[in-house]
Amino acid sequence: MSGRGRRALAALVASGLVLPLLGGCGEGPVELPLPDLDAADLAACRAFTDALPSTLAGEPRVAVQPEDALGAAYGDPAFVVRCGVPVPAEFDATASCEDVSGVGWFVPPAQLDDQTADVTLTTPGYRPVVQVTVPGEYRPDGPANALAELADAVRAHLTLDQPCEGVG
């Protein structure tokens, strides 16, 4: 990622992107709802999930429920990675994204106010779509580190449908 991209992502993250974190904090497995996917998207999400690392941004992988969830969780509070989510309603042709290691990530503009909130980033240009929710406790470096570590799995197992263009 370029210096400009890192600064833009840091500004985006520091601005406090909000989405409630799925699952619990330290009490049992993190719950990941199973999306309703066609056979091709299900196969892609399974391959993506199988390729996820054992640690993310220095945090160990933790249990999820159901065990065959299409995603993973890391740390406490948990980073949550989900595959097969819908494109955010706020995403449209004029939306901008941050490029992290060659993958475009979108954050809804409405999530840019609270400086202590969790950060949710989505890959609207890929099919199926991946979403990463990072607890605010991991800022400022956690989101960028996590997205950089996920880039290879996104590119290897998901289909780039339409590039999500970067800011600037």
Side-chain angles (χ1 to χ4, degrees):
M1 174 169 36
S2 71
R4 183 177 72 186
R6 279 191 188 100
R7 285 189 304 274
L9 182 59
L12 189 66
V13 170
S15 63
L17 309 168
V18 182
L19 182 75
L21 187 62
L22 298 171
C25 243
E27 302 267 339
V30 176
E31 293 197 28
L32 301 180
L34 287 173
D36 183 24
L37 302 174
D38 64 32
D41 284 352
L42 180 60
C45 280
R46 289 264 178 246
F48 170 79
T49 299
D50 289 346
L52 291 173
S54 60
T55 62
L56 187 63
E59 295 297 324
R61 198 162 175 166
V62 298
V64 296
Q65 186 67 21
E67 290 181 14
D68 65 344
L70 299 176
Y74 300 85
D76 181 14
F79 284 77
V80 177
V81 180
R82 294 180 55 214
C83 185
V85 302
V87 171
E90 301 89 343
F91 183 77
D92 62 26
T94 64
S96 62
C97 293
E98 286 298 324
D99 181 281
V100 180
S101 299
V103 175
W105 295 89
F106 169 74
V107 179
Q111 296 184 4
L112 298 173
D113 294 330
D114 185 347
Q115 303 240 343
T116 62
D118 300 343
V119 178
T120 298
L121 302 110
T122 310
T123 60
Y126 284 85
R127 299 296 175 266
V129 176
V130 168
Q131 177 185 75
V132 179
T133 302
V134 180
E137 288 90 337
Y138 294 108
R139 288 197 251 164
D141 297 327
N145 292 341
L147 300 182
E149 292 174 27
L150 294 172
D152 286 343
V154 169
R155 288 191 311 271
H157 299 288
L158 308 177
T159 301
L160 179 60
D161 186 44
Q162 175 68 41
C164 185
E165 300 298 328
V167 176

